[in-house]
Amino acid sequence: MKSILSGIQPTGDLHIGNYFGAVQNWVRLQQDYECRYCVVDYHSMTMPYKATQLRENTWKMVFYLLACGVKPENLFIQSQVPEHVELGWILNCVTSYGELQRMTQFKDKSDQLRESDGEAFVSVGLFDYPVLQAADILIYHADFVPVGKDQEQHLELSRNIAQRFNHQFGKEYFIHPQPLFTEIPKLLSTADPNRKMSKSLGEKHYINLFGEEDRIRKQVKSAVTDTGDTPAGEMSAGVKNLFEILRACGALDAHQSLTDDHNSGALKYSDLKEATANALVELITPFRDRLAELNADKRAVKQQIQESSVAIRKRAQQTIQEVRELTGLASIK
Ligand code: AMP
Ligand code: TRP
């Protein structure tokens, strides 16, 4: 069976861009692949954070993912498998400084730090982040990595690292992992459809999957539909974005009839927004119910995830043992 790995940062909220770009796929793929998904808390240390908040957000993300349908046995917390960091170190030594300098996420995040804080502190951890991500993937020999489009460059780097490692140590040891995208690999902000939906842009730029229903409806209602530069007869980026959300929610009848309205020039944006808000609320309702059930016995859920982290760690330990052998490190007795 082919294997899958993916990860998500515990940043507090799960937005519909994360869901439609990645997590929806995580849930579906569980039927046909050996899947491992992690909440990447080590990665969250690369930007300013508070220790107590990190722990709380890590668990919050675990609960959100389970509520969306990720199976507990497939879910773990990255830092409970410290072998990721050991492999990350080893992979650092087959990664060039120049290739990390080309990573656009590093450029974006370090610019963001400089903008938000005059005395910007940009850590080596932020620079090195993509190598740890490569380790997350390669340590399980994952064939596929379901992510949003913004991770394509990191995946390409993971393949280059795998190739260089294999070449240097004379063995086709690591697989070259391929990304898997959904139909919405890049969901746009409803407040500014020229930009990707993202937590880092601020609250109005992302729709929280577990937010208040009223707020979701308000955000969809106030979605920007006209940016003034769309040729007649074509859909603006904002309108296209709403249609994509509608389709991804599975509201195919509403999608079809509103597309017909658009084609005949009779589309009312208020109808499109109402249908989209309804579809989102319908999609989310069972997730919320499941979250409430999970919250009713938090301890049992945490215990389960700790157990799956222990089970998944065994696979990572096996890889590390083989890697230590291949790279000439002294063996641990
Ligand atoms: P992050 O919250 O940055 O850890 O992202 C978690 C996952 O969601 C990654 O696979 C991202 O590529 C994906 N993702 C984040 N924002 C979007 C978006 N606006 N559209 C589609 N996918 C996204
Ligand atoms: N870098 C990813 C993001 O910002 C998160 C991530 C960390 C990841 N490790 C991973 C994604 C491994 C896929 C596979 O969204």
Side-chain angles (χ1 to χ4, degrees), residues 5-9 38 40 43 78 105 109 129 132-133 136-137 145-147 150-151 154-155:
L5 180 117
S6 197
I8 188 165
Q9 290 200 51
C38 55
V40 292
H43 278 101
Q78 183 193 32
Q105 192 173 47
K109 289 200 172 180
Y129 175 117
L132 181 58
Q133 179 167 353
D136 296 338
I137 300 167
V145 185
V147 278
D150 57 357
Q151 296 302 313
H154 288 165
L155 260 290

Side-chain angles (χ1 to χ4, degrees), residues 6-270:
S6 197
I8 188 165
Q9 290 200 51
T11 35
D13 289 330
L14 185 67
H15 63 67
I16 65 168
N18 299 138
Y19 182 75
F20 292 125
V23 176
Q24 192 176 44
N25 232 0
W26 293 14
V27 175
R28 289 179 181 152
L29 292 162
Q30 293 179 121
Q31 290 180 359
D32 302 311
Y33 296 88
E34 180 185 19
C35 294
R36 296 183 185 92
Y37 300 120
C38 55
V39 177
V40 292
D41 51 351
Y42 281 138
H43 278 101
S44 286
M45 299 171 81
T46 60
M47 292 292 269
Y49 77 99
K50 289 200 179 74
T52 49
Q53 217 165 44
L54 175 59
R55 194 167 298 131
E56 198 180 304
N57 285 342
T58 298
W59 283 113
K60 205 162 147 189
M61 186 57 81
V62 163
F63 279 74
Y64 286 162
L65 294 170
L66 293 172
C68 289
V70 172
K71 294 183 187 162
E73 62 271 28
N74 295 340
L75 187 60
F76 69 105
I77 295 174
Q78 183 193 32
S79 69
Q80 300 204 342
V81 186
E83 285 74 13
H84 288 221
V85 179
E86 183 173 351
L87 183 60
W89 175 257
I90 294 168
L91 298 181
N92 274 329
C93 303
V94 292
T95 307
S96 77
Y97 181 78
E99 57 193 344
L100 287 187
Q101 268 183 321
R102 289 194 289 276
M103 294 294 118
T104 57
Q105 192 173 47
F106 172 69
K107 287 184 207 155
D108 292 347
K109 289 200 172 180
S110 46
D111 286 349
Q112 198 185 314
L113 282 171
R114 280 188 205 102
E115 277 161 26
S116 66
D117 169 9
E119 253 182 286
F121 173 80
V122 179
S123 72
V124 174
L126 184 64
F127 185 65
D128 199 31
Y129 175 117
V131 182
L132 181 58
Q133 179 167 353
D136 296 338
I137 300 167
L138 299 181
I139 205 163
Y140 301 106
H141 303 276
D143 298 281
F144 300 111
V145 185
V147 278
K149 200 77 180 162
D150 57 357
Q151 296 302 313
E152 199 169 25
Q153 195 186 26
H154 288 165
L155 260 290
E156 193 186 343
L157 177 77
S158 299
R159 288 193 295 277
N160 290 341
I161 291 176
Q163 192 173 16
R164 203 164 305 118
F165 181 98
N166 292 349
H167 179 74
Q168 183 160 336
F169 298 104
K171 188 174 176 186
E172 272 307 301
Y173 181 68
F174 285 126
I175 292 176
H176 296 186
Q178 301 296 330
L180 282 182
F181 299 119
T182 64
E183 285 176 352
I184 316 188
K186 184 178 170 185
L187 188 74
L188 304 174
S189 156
T190 49
D192 179 359
N194 293 312
R195 304 165 84 172
K196 187 190 80 159
M197 181 172 288
S198 162
K199 279 172 264 193
S200 55
L201 292 177
E203 286 207 339
K204 69 172 183 174
H205 288 284
Y206 69 92
I207 299 180
N208 185 357
L209 195 64
F210 289 92
E212 293 294 321
E213 183 181 324
D214 268 5
R215 181 166 163 75
I216 295 178
R217 289 191 182 277
K218 269 194 201 124
Q219 279 182 290
V220 175
K221 206 169 167 188
S222 60
V224 173
T225 42
D226 267 324
T227 35
D229 50 2
T230 313
E234 276 184 32
M235 269 188 204
S236 68
V239 171
K240 217 192 249 172
N241 203 37
L242 292 176
F243 268 105
E244 288 192 345
I245 296 172
L246 195 57
R247 192 183 45 190
C249 287
L252 301 182
D253 291 345
H255 185 275
Q256 186 59 53
S257 81
L258 290 160
T259 305
D260 294 345
D261 288 351
H262 174 265
N263 292 342
S264 65
L267 176 67
K268 279 204 245 144
Y269 291 153
S270 55

